[in-house]
Amino acid sequence: MLDDKRSHGLWELSAPPPPPTAALTGAVSADVVVVGAGYTGLSAALHLAKAGRKVVVLEAAEIGFGASGRNSGFVNAGLWVMPDDLIATLGPVYGNRLIGLLGEAPREVFALTERYGMQCQADHRGTYHCAVGASGLKQLQARQAQWSRLGAKVELLSASDTQSRTGAAGYTGSLFDPRAGTIQPLAYARGLASAAMTEGATIHTGSAVTSFDRIGDAWQVKTAGGSVSADWLILATDAYSTGTTSAIREEQVHLPYFHVSTAPLSHNLRKTIMPNGGAGWDTKTILSGFRLDAEGRLIVGSVGALRGTGLSIHRAWIKRHIRKLFPQLGEFELETEWYGKIGMTPDHLPRLHSFGRNAIGFNGYNGRGIAPGTVFGRELARLILGEIDLEGMPLPVSEVAMPAFRAMKEAYYEVGAQVAHLPIAPA
């Protein structure tokens, strides 16, 4: 995307083309203007347009340019934060509301893909959180107990069952979540955009916002080529926020994350890796994840940026890691590589911010953007449509707050991932 093969990698090569769009020119009016064409903004636009509202989406680059087009494609239920900790942080009202909403969020994603016929490799066959060592298994036992108390039918698997279901060697167990699944993330973003446009929304790409101001009873949002006047403003730029929305980016610490994909595996090998579909990731601090795509490519990702010294370090590590995890592969070829950034908040929970009268937005997905972004966009639409008020949202409104030592932490994460991926002994 934008002539950078290392930005979206396999997803750009295998996604259907985006719907035709153009940059904004001239002055237009709308009921709602959405800034950002990722999952949250596109979901909000889709639901608002379907309800008859006139919606204009402004995207600085291309549809799915940010994390929506670069992530692993895991459609997970819930957040990284364990349910008990989430309730302790947010309190019982918001905590239980958020848990309930996100527990059902994958179902909403897959329902949308089916309803609008999105060609995005939607696979609703669960995910596996894989335990590394005794401490990892203990963590998953606690997570399983907490989710089970809330009625989620998650299943704790033994080491042998984990290897049988995933094909991956060396894990001490796993937590299987049947609510979850996988998707081609950039294809899903483009599918949401197409669905929103089918319902009547207008999307302008190559239209970076230069200013937004409340003038009288409306928001005036300007780009280099035009302006939009609207009653409501949704800011949905998240970790890739720049310029006028840079405060959203600065509220988050960026964690780099990269992926590689192999050439399509043989039919026999495909039957040994995730034979029942889904995806897996581990309990390490410097975690890694794995899945297949629809063509049988093995996709593996981990923390790190494919640039500078990290390029050779992570490339060498990923080959060692794949050989250890899937020894049945033998010799294999890597076809694509790409990386991006995950916006992390201090407590690993998303944020709901008000930016003035009738200006609202979610951000801070902490690596869980697909399902939460989809349902949060829907909830923003419900707020604007008057179906709920701010008190009924899944999160309380909070002020934008800058984390301490953000730049230092980001440098630490990038260098720390390189240190973690150095060989302990010759490969």
Side-chain angles (χ1 to χ4, degrees):
M1 190 178 289
L2 300 184
D3 298 321
D4 183 357
K5 293 181 179 179
R6 209 172 286 153
S7 68
H8 295 75
L10 173 63
W11 302 143
E12 172 69 9
L13 294 176
S14 60
T21 57
L24 175 67
T25 57
V28 300
S29 61
D31 297 316
V32 185
V33 56
V34 178
V35 182
Y39 302 132
T40 305
L42 294 170
S43 175
L46 168 59
H47 288 92
L48 286 164
K50 187 176 181 181
R53 298 300 190 270
K54 184 177 181 181
V55 185
V56 174
V57 180
L58 301 176
E59 165 58 43
E62 301 289 343
I63 293 165
F65 177 77
S68 295
R70 308 173 193 233
N71 66 78
S72 301
F74 295 2
V75 188
N76 280 312
L79 299 169
W80 289 111
V81 179
M82 287 199 185
D84 286 359
D85 294 334
L86 191 153
I87 293 171
T89 301
L90 293 178
V93 174
Y94 282 108
N96 284 302
R97 183 184 297 164
L98 186 60
I99 287 170
L101 180 71
L102 297 186
E104 297 298 322
R107 181 184 300 175
E108 172 72 5
V109 171
F110 294 116
L112 285 174
T113 65
E114 184 175 356
R115 185 179 308 144
Y116 290 96
M118 300 180 195
Q119 301 302 305
C120 56
Q121 303 182 27
D123 181 354
H124 194 181
R125 290 185 288 175
T127 56
Y128 300 82
H129 194 176
C130 301
V132 177
S135 61
L137 185 59
K138 184 177 181 180
Q139 177 194 140
L140 295 186
Q141 288 169 339
R143 193 177 290 272
Q144 190 269 345
Q146 292 179 28
W147 273 117
S148 294
R149 286 199 304 269
L150 294 166
K153 299 186 183 302
V154 294
E155 181 182 4
L156 193 65
L157 303 178
S158 67
S160 60
D161 284 344
T162 297
Q163 184 161 355
S164 174
R165 292 206 201 179
T166 67
Y171 293 123
T172 52
S174 64
L175 186 64
F176 174 65
D177 191 338
R179 300 171 296 178
T182 61
I183 213 161
Q184 211 277 30
L186 180 58
Y188 176 53
R190 290 176 174 178
L192 281 176
S194 295
M197 292 172 71
T198 297
E199 296 291 357
T202 300
I203 300 176
H204 293 288
T205 52
S207 300
V209 170
T210 57
S211 67
F212 58 89
D213 299 286
R214 185 77 181 178
I215 299 175
D217 293 329
W219 284 97
Q220 191 79 11
V221 183
K222 294 182 179 180
T223 71
S227 65
V228 182
S229 177
D231 297 331
W232 278 87
L233 167 64
I234 293 176
L235 295 183
T237 49
D238 203 42
Y240 285 77
S241 301
T242 59
T244 56
T245 61
S246 60
I248 295 173
R249 178 267 180 268
E250 292 165 2
E251 185 180 36
Q252 306 172 42
V253 175
H254 283 175
L255 181 73
Y257 201 90
F258 72 93
H259 297 86
V260 302
S261 69
T262 68
L265 305 179
S266 70
H267 181 68
N268 286 337
L269 281 175
R270 293 183 206 182
K271 292 191 292 185
T272 72
I273 299 175
M274 309 306 290
N276 300 314
W281 75 98
D282 63 41
T283 57
K284 287 184 177 180
T285 301
I286 305 295
L287 63 87
S288 62
F290 56 92
R291 58 168 293 190
L292 296 179
D293 77 344
E295 301 300 321
R297 298 177 181 88
L298 175 64
I299 303 161
V300 180
S302 186
V303 179
L306 298 179
R307 62 187 177 193
T309 55
L311 191 58
S312 59
I313 290 172
H314 298 314
R315 279 175 174 170
W317 173 83
I318 201 74
K319 291 182 179 180
R320 297 194 306 272
H321 179 66
I322 291 175
R323 291 190 187 104
K324 181 179 179 181
L325 203 60
F326 301 108
Q328 66 269 39
L329 288 185
E331 293 300 316
F332 58 89
E333 296 180 9
L334 297 180
E335 275 192 344
T336 62
E337 59 184 17
W338 69 102
Y339 76 101
K341 51 198 176 188
I342 300 171
M344 308 293 290
T345 58
D347 58 7
H348 293 179
L349 294 178
R351 299 288 189 267
L352 171 63
H353 293 315
S354 173
F355 301 94
R357 182 184 174 191
N358 289 3
I360 198 86
F362 285 102
N363 65 273
Y365 288 107
N366 296 274
R368 289 290 182 97
I370 298 177
T374 300
V375 293
F376 282 176
R378 184 194 66 195
E379 295 305 288
L380 288 171
R382 293 182 64 212
L383 174 71
I384 292 171
L385 293 170
E387 297 175 4
I388 54 175
D389 59 17
L390 278 176
E391 295 297 319
M393 293 293 275
L395 288 166
V397 175
S398 60
E399 297 294 325
V400 176
M402 302 300 122
F405 308 110
R406 177 177 55 80
M408 186 182 301
K409 290 176 181 177
E410 290 178 353
Y412 173 78
Y413 289 151
E414 184 162 352
V415 173
Q418 293 182 34
V419 172
H421 286 165
L422 287 170
I424 298 174

